Amino acid sequence: MMPDLPLDQVRTLLAVVDEGTFDAAAAALHVTPSAVSQRVKALEQRTGRVLLRRTKPVRPTESGAVLVRYARQLARLERDTRRELGLSGAGEPARVSVAVNADSLATWFFGALTQVTGLCFELHREDEGHTAELLREGLVMAAVTTAPEPVPGCSVRPLGRLRYLPAAAPEFAARLPEGPLAQALYEVPVVTFDLKDRLQDGFVRSLGGTGAGTLRHRIPTSEGFLQAVVAGLGWGLIPEPQALPLLADGRLVPLAPDVWVDVALYWQQWKLDSPALAALAEAVTETAAGALRR
């Protein structure tokens, strides 16, 4: 531990962020709330930065997030070291926190998890364009993301491309207005995942339009999104592994057979010599190689 960042102060900062309040952190650490407050203030004085937003729950500032990530990495290294030395608590399974997008969860990611034994997983579902932020905040150890540039303190490797196919139920497609597809799609309902989902808008813009229409159904699960499109609530971009069998049996029809959207995915993880992270990274990379397009 660096002498100017005392371990007890860094651990206390992490406890406050994880528990949400100074009182709850004090209970978790078996110290008084006053001691927690003094440690955080001392760490802020040492770094010359405000580390916490005194909200409910407490949230780290940008500088605080850097130290929180550092604290989690130290905890990970400590657990790995204890396990290798066979010390007390070494028999507990290693826990790995990962941020992953819903479509990867629904199509290929669980295949990677089944290849790794002896680990417990804590999955954070988030849009692939925002999973890197959870890494940056120190909330997860690894993430499936669309960010090719590594988060500070992390390594990155390409996984492949998840292809999305524009599709709709046959009855819905038959009611599309005549004329250019971009204009037709603007005039009819579209299914989106949530407010962060701009995939459908980008597809319509690639056809020369201004984006998808304002009649939007927000379905925040991959399975529910698919069911909504199959039911005819609107059109949407469906991950290829989900779309192909439904296109084959006629429950979906392609809206533009020669046009699709490819989303490049990357694996980012902490730069730690951690056997648990290394094993998971290899499993994810191997599974992605067989499931995603190169």
Side-chain angles (χ1 to χ4, degrees), residues 8-13 29 31 34-44:
D8 64 331
Q9 294 177 8
V10 173
R11 283 177 168 169
T12 299
L13 178 74
L29 295 172
V31 298
S34 176
V36 169
S37 179
Q38 290 172 8
R39 291 177 187 177
V40 172
K41 288 180 180 178
L43 188 57
E44 289 181 325

Side-chain angles (χ1 to χ4, degrees), residues 162-187:
L162 182 56
R163 178 161 292 181
Y164 289 80
L165 305 179
E171 300 81 5
F172 184 93
R175 298 194 302 268
L176 286 176
E178 295 183 1
L181 182 58
Q183 181 60 34
L185 294 181
Y186 180 80
E187 296 177 10

Side-chain angles (χ1 to χ4, degrees), residues 76 78-87 89-90 92-94:
R76 172 79 269 161
E78 181 180 353
R79 287 192 293 269
D80 287 346
T81 300
R82 295 179 69 86
R83 187 171 290 105
E84 290 182 25
L85 293 175
L87 298 178
E92 298 178 3

Side-chain angles (χ1 to χ4, degrees), residues 117-139:
T117 59
L119 297 183
C120 289
F121 301 105
E122 180 182 321
L123 299 183
H124 297 249
R125 189 192 68 188
E126 182 56 274
D127 180 85
E128 62 271 16
H130 298 267
T131 49
E133 187 60 31
L134 299 185
L135 264 179
R136 191 171 290 106
E137 294 176 359
L139 296 176

